[in-house]
Amino acid sequence: MVVLLKESWCIVSPTLEPRYQICARLHKKQVPDDSGAYYGADIGEERDPPGQIRQTKQLYKAINPLKHTLRTLRRYRIILEYFPFTLKESGVTRELAIVLRDASIAHGKAATSAKFLHPDMSNRNIMFKRNGNGSVEGYLIDWDLSMDLTLAYDQSTGIQPERMGTWQFLAIRLVQPNETGKPLIQDRIDGVESFYHLILWMALRYTAHQLDSATLTHMSHRNFDAMYKDPETGEVDIGTMRRANMKSGDLSDEAKFANGGIREVLLQMRHVLCQRYIDPEDAFGNSKKFEAQRKAAEVKKVEGLKALEDPNWLPNLLNGVLEEEKVDWVTNEARVDHGLGKYPSNP
């Protein structure tokens, strides 16, 4: 085993535990694959000389850049197991699904057993190692900003003055306008949805499909990267495309993914996760002509939301697709690097 000595900064907050304490609780609750942290400690105490404590500006409103408070950071060191491969370095498409399954197990068990919610499912926070027999094991890393679920959170809590997580993969409800005018607090199911956005992003960037570079650049920007600022409040949101693609599946349909395994994973995930955003009454109204369809949609929504309450829903789904003999993981399994162009700026 190779280990690293990492030195970094952690946010000093009553609602954020130090990284090494988080990892100790994960180990105690036998979370199957956390970041492999073994020892850690703060460097010095509050009264230490400059260098171990610092403060950074923390902006609240884009419309008023002069309004800010100071966020206190403390230096710490931690010993971590070294994982050599990033998510985008997976060899074939099936390995990508295995690594993400392992990470989803850690995400679910950490939230339900250790009562920590990892807020950032992203390509930077999932690593893997390759065993001697060639098999891969995935790991969810960087638990520094994990939310302690034994505490009560609201929009005024210091842990959440702004959105936490990677914009491209945040759950749709977290990147759309809401009545509070402030970022919503994440929950475990938001993290499960983030896995879907991450898998879709990885499939578009690194698996075989039919989109050319210009189309891929345009559609990826609108679904993952777009930011629209409200001129009155300064709040930003993703727009409507991510929600529309979740409900319709148009982005996957347009891509026509060539690997049967990744296509099946995305299809099964979306058909359940989209129920978070489908309103049967909006879709079918009160028309007698569509009463049967509306009732069927209502049942499907209830079943979908209930399924998402199970922390093992995503690991079980991925296991099922990985083990299903009729799913073709071999054809077009090789990694494909798709180049992205520069998205034109608004005039």
Side-chain angles (χ1 to χ4, degrees):
M1 177 191 299
V2 178
V3 297
L4 300 176
L5 175 62
K6 176 182 177 181
E7 183 172 302
S8 188
W9 295 90
C10 64
I11 298 172
V12 178
S13 166
T15 59
L16 286 175
E17 291 194 29
R19 168 77 173 277
Y20 51 88
Q21 291 182 10
I22 293 172
C23 291
R25 202 155 104 192
L26 294 175
H27 280 292
K28 183 177 180 180
K29 295 298 182 179
Q30 298 182 324
V31 174
D33 50 4
D34 59 50
S35 59
Y38 293 95
Y39 301 100
D42 296 333
I43 302 177
E45 301 294 339
E46 297 254 354
R47 292 171 290 183
D48 276 349
Q52 312 312 329
I53 300 289
R54 71 180 184 186
Q55 293 182 316
T56 60
K57 291 182 179 180
Q58 178 178 331
L59 300 183
Y60 277 90
K61 292 286 185 181
I63 194 171
N64 184 6
L66 298 179
K67 182 180 180 181
H68 66 267
T69 61
L70 291 177
R71 167 178 282 170
T72 301
L73 306 177
R74 179 182 295 143
R75 193 190 300 269
Y76 75 97
R77 289 178 183 149
I78 191 169
I79 297 175
L80 300 165
E81 183 177 350
Y82 172 63
F83 300 127
F85 300 110
T86 64
L87 192 58
K88 68 179 183 180
E89 293 174 292
S90 54
V92 295
T93 305
R94 193 173 189 276
E95 286 185 350
L96 173 64
I98 293 171
V99 171
L100 288 164
R101 177 205 60 195
D102 293 347
S104 73
I105 293 171
H107 175 261
K109 189 163 186 181
T112 55
S113 298
K115 301 300 180 183
F116 274 118
L117 180 65
H118 195 302
D120 190 7
M121 302 304 108
S122 72
N123 55 315
R124 297 185 302 274
N125 286 339
I126 298 176
M127 306 282 286
F128 72 94
K129 64 182 181 182
R130 195 176 298 279
N131 299 316
N133 61 3
S135 63
V136 294
E137 293 181 30
Y139 294 84
L140 183 57
I141 68 168
D142 283 353
W143 295 79
D144 303 66
L145 297 179
S146 296
M147 297 171 60
D148 187 339
L149 298 179
T150 64
L151 303 177
Y153 295 95
D154 57 37
Q155 264 65 34
S156 65
T157 304
I159 187 177
Q160 282 267 348
E162 68 275 335
R163 291 180 179 91
M164 296 176 67
T166 300
W167 180 263
Q168 287 81 358
F169 312 125
L170 284 171
I172 294 163
R173 77 178 192 94
L174 302 177
V175 290
Q176 290 197 322
N178 65 81
E179 294 179 356
T180 70
K182 298 179 181 180
L184 298 176
I185 304 300
Q186 280 197 53
D187 60 30
R188 182 190 59 79
I189 298 175
D190 291 325
V192 174
E193 184 186 325
S194 290
F195 273 102
Y196 171 80
H197 300 306
L198 174 58
I199 294 172
L200 178 58
W201 186 87
M202 291 293 299
L204 289 167
R205 295 294 302 273
Y206 301 111
T207 75
H209 56 70
Q210 295 187 14
L211 296 180
D212 59 38
S213 178
T215 305
L216 177 61
T217 299
H218 176 76
M219 297 184 78
S220 292
H221 175 84
R222 295 188 68 194
N223 191 80
F224 298 107
D225 303 318
M227 284 188 178
Y228 303 96
K229 185 168 74 171
D230 187 310
E232 295 183 0
T233 66
E235 297 294 335
V236 295
D237 65 81
I238 191 67
T240 60
M241 190 54 63
R242 188 179 297 182
R243 183 186 185 106
N245 282 326
M246 172 66 85
K247 292 168 70 174
S248 68
D250 282 350
L251 182 50
S252 290
D253 292 344
E254 290 290 326
K256 293 180 172 59
F257 293 110
N259 180 265
I262 203 68
R263 191 167 60 241
E264 185 67 18
V265 165
L266 289 168
L267 180 66
Q268 290 193 25
M269 288 184 70
R270 189 189 67 78
H271 270 279
V272 175
L273 286 164
C274 72
Q275 300 305 322
R276 304 187 81 195
Y277 305 104
I278 287 176
D279 186 333
E281 189 170 332
D282 285 348
F284 298 102
N286 293 316
S287 171
K288 285 287 185 181
K289 183 175 181 179
F290 300 110
E291 184 175 2
Q293 292 94 321
R294 183 179 64 252
K295 288 183 177 179
E298 290 169 350
V299 170
K300 188 174 181 180
K301 182 178 180 69
V302 170
E303 292 176 346
L305 296 180
K306 183 177 180 181
L308 291 172
E309 293 176 3
D310 180 0
N312 294 314
W313 172 78
L314 181 54
N316 289 343
L317 183 153
L318 291 169
N319 268 330
V321 180
L322 285 166
E323 295 172 1
E324 174 57 56
E325 293 181 359
K326 294 182 180 180
V327 174
D328 183 4
W329 283 99
V330 176
T331 303
N332 296 303
E333 67 175 357
R335 171 193 169 96
V336 179
D337 289 292
H338 295 279
L340 293 180
K342 183 177 180 180
Y343 192 80
S345 301
N346 293 328

